[in-house]
Amino acid sequence: MEFDPPRAPEFEGFFAGLGRQELCFPRCNGCRRFHWYPMKHCPHCQGSDIGWQTVAGPAHLYSWTVVRYAFDPDFAGQLPYTVALVAFAEAPGVRLVSNLIEIEPQELEIGLALEPQFPGDERVLFRSAPTRA
Ligand SMILES: [Zn+2]
């Protein structure tokens, strides 16, 4: 299945990061806070000096929904699938919408440690991360 969403120019830093197998989010150089989605002005201080910051640290499951009905027939073969809100310890306030893989719905819980997977097609997916002792 081909999924080719239109790409707004303000997302270029995010997709450039994916090309390097990195997650990058906009961070204001004035107040140093992150935001998501990309914006021309910082939603916290209204500054316009915004850069891209690579976020390498741990991710966790903020919330999710399990999709069991294909509103678009193209997705029928993938049911059920999980759409997640993923949060990042290094990027407070960022919650990225993504898909979870290799995790059964009954395993899902808020705060579940996640790690990114970069399939090389300009997506990022997340799977359960090994928990550290
Ligand atoms: Zn700011």
Side-chain angles (χ1 to χ4, degrees), residues 49-67:
D49 181 10
I50 296 169
W52 288 88
Q53 176 74 49
T54 300
V55 173
H60 65 271
L61 184 58
Y62 182 83
S63 189
W64 73 90
T65 187
V66 177
V67 179

Side-chain angles (χ1 to χ4, degrees), residues 7 11-24 54 117-124:
R7 184 185 304 175
F11 282 81
E12 275 307 317
F14 178 76
F15 286 104
L18 291 187
R20 301 186 303 269
Q21 302 212 336
E22 294 177 346
L23 285 170
C24 298
T54 300
Q117 299 293 300
F118 301 95
D121 57 2
E122 301 192 321
R123 291 184 300 158
V124 57

